[in-house]
Amino acid sequence: MRGAMAMSILLLLVVLSSFSTASASTKARQVYVVYLGEHAGDKGEEEILAGHHGLLLSVKGSEEEARASLLYSYKHSLNGFAALLSEEEATELSARTEVVSTFPSQGMWSPHTTRSWEFLGLEEGVRFPDSSGRLPPGAKAGGEDVIVGVLDSGIWPESRSFVDEGLGPVPARWKGVCQGGDSFSPSSCNRKIIGARYYVKAYEARYGAVNTTNAYRSPRDHDGHGTHTASTVAGRTVPGVAALGGFAPGTASGGAPLARVAVYKVCWPIPGPNPNIENTCFEADMLAAIDDAVGDGVDVMSVSIGSTGKPLAFADDGIAVGALHAAMRGVVFVCSGGNSGPKPATVSNLAPWMLTVAASSIDRAFISPIKLGNGMVIMGQTVTPYQLPGNKAYPLVYAANAVVPGTPANVSNQCLPKSLAPEKVRGKIVVCLRGTGLRVEKGLEVKQAGGAAIILGNPPAFGGEVPVDAHVLPGTAVSTVDINAILGYINSSSNPTAVLDPSRTVVDVKPSPVMAQFSSRGPNVNEPNILKPDVTAPGLNILAAWSEASSPTKLGGDNRVVKYNIMSGTSMSCPHVSATAVLLKSAHPDWSSAAIRSAIMTTATTSNAEGGPMMDADGTVAGPMDYGSGHIRPVHALDPGLVYDASYQDYLLFACASGGAQLDHSLPCPATPPPPYQLNHPSLAIHGLNGSVTVERAVTNVGGQGNVRYTVAVVEPMGVSVKVSPRNLSFTRTGEKKSFRIKIEPKGRGSWRVNGQFVAGSYTWSDGVHVVRSPIAVLVA
């Protein structure tokens, strides 16, 4: 019996050990992307899929296990796949000669959360677009035959911004589908929304099945972000639009109102106490979307998504890899630069083959007067529809003086959840500061603690930038200067009070544009010899369409339903540039994606609408690390005169020089690749200048036939000598290419070298009609 019992115990231990090992193995598996570079030869989809299965079979125990582990097979543009792998299996695959890179599909990507188009036109002396939706000559009816793919959180198809009235048939070259799912069917698409897909396999591999109480398992947008960005890039012209009961009244329109929209939903809510607030997007899902979009036939991709973690090497960056192969096939890839400013070296989406967008203001404000008890009147801004009753003065209290015991001193003025003492704020206007936590959550905390209203002030880092919010109670927001005045009044009065007057919309605010402080800044931490961001565009307080499944704040308990909402972020500036790319693609269908990026960059301006230099919201003069080449000018971009072109092979050589990344087996890295700054790029950055450097560039004439002569003008960075030769370029035909050299060297070591920062200048080619400007940023060693 003892022998039998011992055998039973042994068997039990074996079973438990096997179960434990299996569980550990299952837990160790995660989604990896296996990137194989460009497709070799003319292979069909079945042959490509069989090759991916074969690679998986080499590390899996059986054919069945290999097939079950495969999530996506990338077949249209890039060659690769996404699969559930252990770390050991991923390492084994990465060692194979046909594999370029293997990297985990991380959920560290997230969205970078209409007067703006009129402002872009007014800045150039034209209305853009006009009330009929017509656009400047050369844009071919607002891009009617151009297809823009939007990677985001989906779309609300019933919005008036996506009606198809007056549009012609879907372009015959379109190969996409309208994928059904929760509350979305093929009939949800039309001649405006011509395609819709969703990608959830990597997300569900990490978090389990989508919770359909706060997300649609379909292309339908529950969040609002995707609807907002899609309507900004290509929404129809809709008269009589206003947000939240009357703010920003007028006509809403996307920049390319007749372009076709293809939706690729890749972002999903992060499970937690308030899943509506934060979305995540996995690389494997995004790569599948990019691959399908290229195969479907999109011309421009608008991606208001970026990394929330440390920037990845180009070969391990899913968006960079997907964008490279999209650009190779002529797709213009536009990305948001991120909302982590004004701290330097925070910009994301860093590859030169994508257009990275910063955010700036427009000339509109939502003025909300604050009348202090001492007679001072301060102008706040808000789109909060609620008013304090009685048009009377209410007591003022500073949050730091009204917190519950135990609140950390460094955040006592932040109005964080459960930080306010109800007995100290009840019935009062509570003064809080921006910083930690969401702005709208601060208003919710004031309301839940019994406060009557909120005044939200900027800390010094945010200066005069005032993003507006639809708070859940009366309230307004003020600049750094104004919050200091309010706090000074509170500290000097034994009974501080204030009256909050109703808000109104005003336009022609000066100066404008101003760089948003939240906009992520350069330099480029992956490759400082490439300037990022590339350009800036309107991204502060932008009105666009919204999901009717999401409240304007997205907070739990906010049950308001709106058709249009006002948002801020580089997520909002990105589609402005995407729309400009649509217009250029329509006007110049034979241009490469690099040429279109060049046209947008070299025609950008560094001046505000009044002719002065663009400023940061803290009152300092902005520069290339803030806005790249400058603020976009869509009309000028249609006729840039000269463009800087670059090929797929040029980008592969660049990657070889930048960290030694071989991105494709078709071009092995040479022993000594040209330095990264030798890429034929529309901007120029030199990091660690030590002695003389000579940079070569080439421009292509796209300004028309006939003899034309360009002359260069140089603005030297402080302490740096810049010599361009030759100083004149002559062209006799369209498409003619000419090369030139730029010699850069330090003039000496002096006080201009401030804290090892980049110094800025420019060189500009002009024929008297076209102005082709390239910024220069130099860091001397």
Side-chain angles (χ1 to χ4, degrees):
M1 181 173 293
R2 288 179 182 176
M5 182 177 293
M7 182 61 71
S8 298
I9 292 172
L10 178 61
L11 287 172
L12 178 59
L13 289 173
V14 169
V15 170
L16 288 174
S17 174
S18 300
F19 178 76
S20 176
T21 302
S23 298
S25 175
T26 301
K27 288 180 181 179
R29 291 200 313 164
Q30 62 173 309
V31 179
Y32 281 84
V33 173
V34 181
Y35 172 50
L36 306 174
E38 180 62 20
H39 290 287
D42 188 18
K43 295 181 180 179
E45 292 187 11
E46 291 302 319
E47 187 177 359
I48 294 169
L49 179 61
H52 296 166
H53 278 147
L55 274 174
L56 277 172
L57 186 58
S58 70
V59 297
K60 296 291 185 180
S62 66
E63 177 75 22
E64 182 180 357
E65 185 183 358
R67 292 183 179 276
S69 68
L70 182 67
L71 298 186
Y72 295 112
S73 177
Y74 308 133
K75 304 181 286 288
H76 302 296
S77 55
L78 69 151
N79 186 10
F81 57 88
L84 283 165
L85 301 170
S86 67
E87 184 177 355
E88 293 76 15
E89 290 168 340
T91 300
E92 186 177 344
L93 280 173
S94 66
R96 295 181 66 102
T97 56
E98 61 265 59
V99 174
V100 174
S101 62
T102 302
F103 53 91
S105 170
Q106 303 180 49
M108 60 179 214
W109 301 82
S110 66
H112 283 149
T113 4
T114 282
R115 173 74 182 173
S116 58
W117 283 108
E118 189 176 0
F119 172 65
L120 285 174
L122 287 172
E123 187 183 21
E124 302 187 63
V126 297
R127 295 185 66 82
F128 185 73
D130 67 17
S131 58
S132 67
R134 294 190 299 270
L135 292 154
K140 293 187 180 178
E144 184 173 358
D145 292 327
V146 179
I147 303 166
V148 56
V150 182
L151 262 71
D152 214 297
S153 64
I155 197 164
W156 191 263
E158 292 80 14
S159 171
R160 288 190 295 162
S161 291
F162 306 120
V163 298
D164 64 357
E165 182 180 354
L167 291 179
V170 173
R173 60 191 173 85
W174 175 245
K175 300 176 183 177
V177 300
C178 192
Q179 183 181 5
D182 292 344
S183 302
F184 199 95
S185 69
S187 63
S188 299
C189 295
N190 55 19
R191 294 191 305 277
K192 179 65 176 178
I193 305 171
I194 63 173
R197 300 177 186 257
Y198 68 97
Y199 302 82
V200 73
K201 292 178 181 178
Y203 171 87
E204 290 190 332
R206 169 65 177 83
Y207 289 115
V210 169
N211 183 350
T212 54
T213 61
N214 49 54
Y216 297 103
R217 202 175 188 278
S218 76
R220 181 174 290 278
D221 181 17
H222 192 284
D223 179 81
H225 189 275
T227 300
H228 200 283
T229 58
S231 65
T232 301
V233 63
R236 300 300 302 274
T237 302
V238 183
V241 167
L244 304 157
F247 293 103
T251 297
S253 176
L258 301 183
R260 314 306 176 103
V261 175
V263 176
Y264 300 87
K265 181 176 177 178
V266 295
C267 299
W268 304 88
I270 297 177
N274 194 351
N276 297 321
I277 291 294
E278 193 172 4
N279 276 10
T280 187
C281 327
F282 281 81
E283 284 168 293
D285 293 332
M286 290 189 291
L287 267 176
I290 295 168
D291 188 51
D292 279 342
V294 174
D296 290 344
V298 304
D299 301 297
V300 175
M301 298 208 68
S302 189
V303 184
S304 291
I305 298 169
S307 171
T308 58
K310 182 180 178 182
L312 300 167
F314 294 129
D316 299 330
D317 181 335
I319 287 186
V321 167
L324 173 65
H325 290 271
M328 176 189 175
R329 287 159 175 79
V331 177
V332 184
F333 207 95
V334 186
C335 295
S336 51
N339 303 330
S340 300
K343 185 178 179 181
T346 51
V347 64
S348 63
N349 293 320
L350 302 174
W353 49 82
M354 56 177 65
L355 199 54
T356 305
V357 187
S360 42
S361 69
I362 61 174
D363 65 341
R364 180 180 61 200
F366 305 94
I367 299 301
S368 170
I370 305 168
K371 297 176 182 176
L372 301 180
N374 62 0
M376 182 184 295
V377 177
I378 288 174
M379 289 298 177
Q381 287 199 61
T382 188
V383 290
T384 301
Y386 305 113
Q387 298 296 321
L388 284 172
N391 190 27
K392 62 180 183 180
Y394 282 74
L396 271 177
V397 63
Y398 184 34
N401 300 328
V403 292
V404 297
T407 302
N410 63 327
V411 292
S412 62
N413 56 11
Q414 301 282 303
C415 296
L416 298 181
K418 299 181 180 180
S419 67
L420 295 176
E423 68 276 9
K424 295 181 180 179
V425 303
R426 189 172 291 112
K428 297 178 181 179
I429 300 172
V430 183
V431 178
C432 313
L433 290 191
R434 287 173 63 185
T436 303
L438 299 172
R439 298 188 305 270
V440 289
E441 279 192 317
K442 297 175 188 290
L444 180 62
E445 169 62 12
V446 171
K447 181 178 181 179
Q448 290 178 338
I454 181 174
I455 295 176
L456 188 58
N458 280 357
F462 293 103
E465 165 201 294
V466 183
V468 296
D469 297 294
H471 286 291
V472 293
L473 80 171
T476 191
V478 297
S479 69
T480 300
V481 170
D482 289 335
I483 196 62
N484 288 338
I486 292 172
L487 293 177
Y489 163 62
I490 291 175
N491 292 333
S492 66
S493 173
S494 60
N495 184 31
T497 63
V499 176
L500 301 187
D501 282 350
S503 178
R504 68 183 190 276
T505 304
V506 298
V507 295
D508 298 324
V509 173
K510 297 177 182 179
S512 59
V514 172
M515 288 304 303
Q517 291 296 88
F518 62 72
S519 184
S520 292
R521 264 56 176 190
N524 182 336
V525 296
N526 263 14
E527 180 45 77
N529 291 293
I530 291 293
L531 180 62
K532 289 288 177 174
D534 293 309
V535 290
T536 188
L540 182 67
N541 301 333
I542 303 301
L543 174 71
W546 195 246
S547 167
E548 293 183 40
S550 181
S551 73
T553 65
K554 300 198 284 188
L555 292 173
D558 185 358
N559 298 317
R560 291 173 292 176
V561 176
V562 297
K563 298 180 184 295
Y564 290 83
N565 199 12
I566 293 173
M567 299 288 288
S568 296
T570 55
S571 280
M572 286 65 246
S573 57
C574 169
H576 283 85
V577 178
S578 303
T580 304
V582 168
L583 299 178
L584 266 70
K585 195 76 173 179
S586 176
H588 306 289
D590 57 331
W591 283 10
S592 68
S593 60
I596 289 176
R597 290 195 304 275
S598 173
I600 293 171
M601 292 170 65
T602 60
T603 58
T605 180
T606 61
S607 300
N608 61 31
E610 293 72 52
M614 276 189 66
M615 307 293 288
D616 285 326
D618 63 2
T620 59
V621 176
M625 295 300 159
D626 306 306
Y627 52 54
S629 294
H631 193 273
I632 63 167
R633 297 192 293 175
V635 177
H636 283 67
L638 287 166
D639 183 21
L642 303 174
V643 295
Y644 294 82
D645 214 342
S647 68
Y648 180 66
Q649 287 71 29
D650 292 332
Y651 292 132
L652 295 182
L653 280 174
F654 160 82
C656 289
S658 180
Q662 181 174 326
L663 293 184
D664 197 334
H665 294 300
S666 67
L667 195 151
C669 286
T672 308
Y677 53 73
Q678 295 291 6
L679 177 69
N680 197 43
H681 201 58
S683 61
L684 174 58
I686 304 290
H687 179 266
L689 179 65
N690 185 10
S692 176
V693 166
T694 299
V695 178
E696 296 187 5
R697 288 287 191 267
V699 287
T700 304
N701 176 36
V702 295
Q705 300 288 352
N707 295 322
V708 61
R709 186 170 184 262
Y710 282 83
T711 301
V712 71
V714 175
V715 176
E716 292 183 332
M718 186 179 297
V720 177
S721 170
V722 178
K723 305 296 182 185
V724 179
S725 62
R727 295 190 60 81
N728 298 291
L729 298 175
S730 296
F731 300 89
T732 59
R733 58 180 175 82
T734 299
E736 188 176 0
K737 182 179 289 189
K738 290 291 179 72
S739 298
F740 59 94
R741 293 185 174 187
I742 311 165
K743 184 178 181 181
I744 302 176
E745 57 187 345
K747 290 181 177 178
R749 297 180 180 274
S751 60
W752 54 269
R753 276 189 79 225
V754 181
N755 298 326
Q757 295 179 355
F758 280 84
V759 288
S762 65
Y763 68 91
T764 304
W765 293 100
S766 179
D767 62 351
V769 176
H770 305 95
V771 177
V772 189
R773 180 184 179 277
S774 293
I776 302 172
V778 179
L779 177 65
V780 178

Coordinates of all heavy atoms in Angstrom, one line a residue, residues 315-353:
A315 N 14.6 49.5 -36.6 CA 14.2 48.1 -37.0 C 13.3 47.5 -36.0 O 12.7 46.5 -36.3 CB 15.5 47.3 -37.1
D316 N 13.1 48.1 -34.8 CA 12.2 47.5 -33.8 C 11.0 48.4 -33.5 O 10.3 48.2 -32.6 CB 13.0 47.4 -32.5 CG 14.2 46.4 -32.6 OD1 14.1 45.5 -33.4 OD2 15.2 46.6 -31.8
D317 N 10.8 49.3 -34.4 CA 9.7 50.3 -34.3 C 8.6 49.9 -35.3 O 8.9 50.1 -36.5 CB 10.2 51.7 -34.5 CG 9.2 52.8 -34.3 OD1 8.0 52.5 -34.6 OD2 9.5 53.9 -34.0
G318 N 7.5 49.4 -34.9 CA 6.5 48.9 -35.8 C 6.0 50.0 -36.7 O 5.8 49.8 -37.9
I319 N 5.7 51.2 -36.2 CA 5.2 52.3 -37.1 C 6.3 52.7 -38.1 O 6.0 52.9 -39.3 CB 4.8 53.5 -36.3 CG1 3.4 53.2 -35.6 CG2 4.6 54.7 -37.2 CD1 2.8 54.4 -34.8
A320 N 7.6 52.8 -37.7 CA 8.6 53.1 -38.6 C 8.8 52.1 -39.7 O 9.0 52.4 -40.9 CB 9.9 53.3 -37.8
V321 N 8.7 50.8 -39.3 CA 8.9 49.8 -40.3 C 7.7 49.8 -41.3 O 7.9 49.7 -42.5 CB 9.0 48.4 -39.6 CG1 8.8 47.3 -40.6 CG2 10.3 48.2 -38.9
G322 N 6.5 49.9 -40.8 CA 5.3 50.0 -41.7 C 5.4 51.2 -42.6 O 5.0 51.1 -43.8
A323 N 5.8 52.3 -42.0 CA 5.8 53.6 -42.8 C 6.9 53.5 -43.9 O 6.6 54.0 -45.0 CB 6.1 54.8 -41.9
L324 N 8.0 52.8 -43.6 CA 9.0 52.7 -44.7 C 8.5 52.0 -45.9 O 8.7 52.4 -47.0 CB 10.2 52.0 -44.1 CG 11.3 51.6 -45.1 CD1 12.0 52.9 -45.6 CD2 12.4 50.7 -44.4
H325 N 7.8 50.9 -45.7 CA 7.3 50.1 -46.8 C 6.1 50.8 -47.5 O 5.9 50.7 -48.7 CB 7.0 48.7 -46.4 CG 8.2 47.9 -46.0 ND1 8.8 47.1 -47.0 CD2 8.8 47.8 -44.9 CE1 9.9 46.5 -46.4 NE2 9.9 46.9 -45.1
A326 N 5.4 51.6 -46.7 CA 4.3 52.4 -47.3 C 4.9 53.5 -48.2 O 4.4 53.7 -49.3 CB 3.4 53.0 -46.2
A327 N 5.9 54.2 -47.7 CA 6.5 55.2 -48.5 C 7.1 54.7 -49.7 O 7.1 55.4 -50.8 CB 7.6 55.9 -47.6
M328 N 7.7 53.5 -49.7 CA 8.3 52.9 -50.9 C 7.3 52.8 -52.0 O 7.6 52.9 -53.2 CB 8.9 51.5 -50.5 CG 9.4 50.7 -51.7 SD 9.8 49.0 -51.2 CE 10.3 48.4 -52.8
R329 N 6.0 52.6 -51.6 CA 4.9 52.4 -52.6 C 4.2 53.7 -52.8 O 3.0 53.6 -53.3 CB 4.0 51.3 -52.1 CG 4.6 49.9 -52.2 CD 4.0 48.8 -51.3 NE 4.6 47.5 -51.6 CZ 5.8 47.1 -51.1 NH1 6.5 47.9 -50.4 NH2 6.2 45.9 -51.5
G330 N 4.8 54.8 -52.4 CA 4.2 56.1 -52.8 C 3.2 56.6 -51.8 O 2.6 57.7 -52.0
V331 N 3.0 56.0 -50.6 CA 2.0 56.4 -49.7 C 2.7 57.5 -48.8 O 3.8 57.2 -48.2 CB 1.5 55.3 -48.8 CG1 0.5 55.8 -47.7 CG2 0.8 54.2 -49.7
V332 N 2.0 58.6 -48.6 CA 2.6 59.7 -47.7 C 2.1 59.3 -46.3 O 0.9 59.2 -46.0 CB 2.0 61.1 -48.1 CG1 2.7 62.1 -47.2 CG2 2.3 61.3 -49.6
F333 N 3.0 59.2 -45.4 CA 2.8 58.7 -44.0 C 3.0 59.9 -43.1 O 4.1 60.4 -42.9 CB 3.8 57.6 -43.7 CG 3.2 56.6 -42.7 CD1 2.6 55.5 -43.1 CD2 3.4 56.9 -41.3 CE1 2.1 54.6 -42.1 CE2 2.9 56.0 -40.4 CZ 2.3 54.8 -40.8
V334 N 1.9 60.3 -42.4 CA 1.9 61.5 -41.6 C 1.6 61.1 -40.1 O 0.6 60.3 -39.9 CB 0.9 62.6 -42.0 CG1 1.0 63.8 -41.2 CG2 1.1 62.9 -43.5
C335 N 2.4 61.5 -39.2 CA 2.3 61.1 -37.8 C 2.3 62.3 -36.8 O 2.9 63.3 -37.1 CB 3.4 60.2 -37.4 SG 3.5 58.6 -38.2
S336 N 1.6 62.1 -35.7 CA 1.7 63.2 -34.6 C 3.0 63.0 -33.9 O 3.6 61.9 -33.8 CB 0.6 63.0 -33.7 OG 0.5 61.6 -33.2
G337 N 3.5 64.2 -33.4 CA 4.8 64.2 -32.7 C 4.8 63.9 -31.2 O 5.8 63.7 -30.6
G338 N 3.6 64.0 -30.6 CA 3.5 63.7 -29.2 C 3.2 64.9 -28.4 O 3.3 66.1 -28.8
N339 N 2.7 64.7 -27.2 CA 2.2 65.8 -26.3 C 3.0 65.8 -25.0 O 2.5 66.0 -23.9 CB 0.7 65.5 -25.9 CG -0.1 65.5 -27.2 OD1 0.2 66.1 -28.2 ND2 -1.2 64.7 -27.1
S340 N 4.3 65.6 -25.0 CA 5.2 65.6 -23.9 C 6.0 66.8 -23.7 O 7.0 66.8 -22.9 CB 6.0 64.3 -23.9 OG 5.3 63.1 -23.9
G341 N 5.7 67.9 -24.4 CA 6.4 69.1 -24.3 C 6.1 69.9 -23.0 O 5.2 69.5 -22.3
P342 N 6.8 71.0 -22.7 CA 7.9 71.6 -23.5 C 9.3 71.0 -23.3 O 10.3 71.5 -23.7 CB 7.8 73.0 -23.2 CG 7.4 73.0 -21.7 CD 6.5 71.9 -21.6
K343 N 9.3 69.9 -22.5 CA 10.6 69.2 -22.2 C 11.3 68.8 -23.5 O 10.7 68.3 -24.4 CB 10.4 68.0 -21.4 CG 11.7 67.4 -20.9 CD 11.4 66.2 -20.0 CE 12.7 65.5 -19.5 NZ 12.4 64.3 -18.7
P344 N 12.6 69.1 -23.7 CA 13.3 68.8 -24.9 C 13.5 67.2 -25.1 O 13.4 66.5 -24.1 CB 14.7 69.4 -24.8 CG 14.9 69.6 -23.3 CD 13.5 69.8 -22.7
A345 N 13.7 66.8 -26.3 CA 14.0 65.4 -26.7 C 12.9 64.5 -26.3 O 13.0 63.4 -25.9 CB 15.3 65.0 -26.0
T346 N 11.6 65.0 -26.5 CA 10.4 64.2 -26.2 C 9.6 63.8 -27.5 O 8.7 63.0 -27.4 CB 9.5 65.0 -25.3 OG1 9.3 66.3 -25.8 CG2 10.1 65.1 -23.9
V347 N 10.0 64.3 -28.7 CA 9.2 64.1 -29.9 C 9.3 62.6 -30.2 O 10.4 61.9 -30.0 CB 9.7 65.0 -31.0 CG1 11.1 64.7 -31.4 CG2 8.8 64.8 -32.2
S348 N 8.2 62.0 -30.7 CA 8.2 60.6 -31.2 C 7.9 60.6 -32.7 O 7.7 61.6 -33.3 CB 7.1 59.8 -30.4 OG 5.8 60.4 -30.6
N349 N 8.0 59.3 -33.2 CA 7.8 59.1 -34.7 C 9.0 59.8 -35.4 O 8.8 60.9 -36.0 CB 6.5 59.6 -35.2 CG 5.3 58.7 -34.6 OD1 5.5 57.5 -34.5 ND2 4.2 59.3 -34.2
L350 N 10.2 59.2 -35.3 CA 11.4 59.9 -35.6 C 12.1 59.5 -36.9 O 13.1 60.1 -37.3 CB 12.4 59.6 -34.5 CG 11.9 59.9 -33.1 CD1 12.9 59.4 -32.0 CD2 11.7 61.4 -32.9
A351 N 11.5 58.7 -37.7 CA 12.1 58.3 -39.0 C 11.9 59.4 -40.0 O 10.9 60.0 -40.1 CB 11.5 57.0 -39.5
P352 N 12.9 59.5 -40.9 CA 12.8 60.6 -41.9 C 11.8 60.3 -43.0 O 11.5 61.2 -43.8 CB 14.3 60.7 -42.5 CG 14.8 59.3 -42.2 CD 14.2 58.9 -40.9
W353 N 11.4 59.1 -43.2 CA 10.4 58.8 -44.2 C 9.0 59.0 -43.8 O 8.1 58.7 -44.5 CB 10.6 57.3 -44.7 CG 10.7 56.3 -43.6 CD1 9.7 55.7 -42.9 CD2 11.9 55.7 -43.0 NE1 10.2 54.9 -42.0 CE2 11.5 54.8 -42.0 CE3 13.3 55.9 -43.3 CZ2 12.5 54.1 -41.3 CZ3 14.2 55.2 -42.5 CH2 13.8 54.3 -41.5

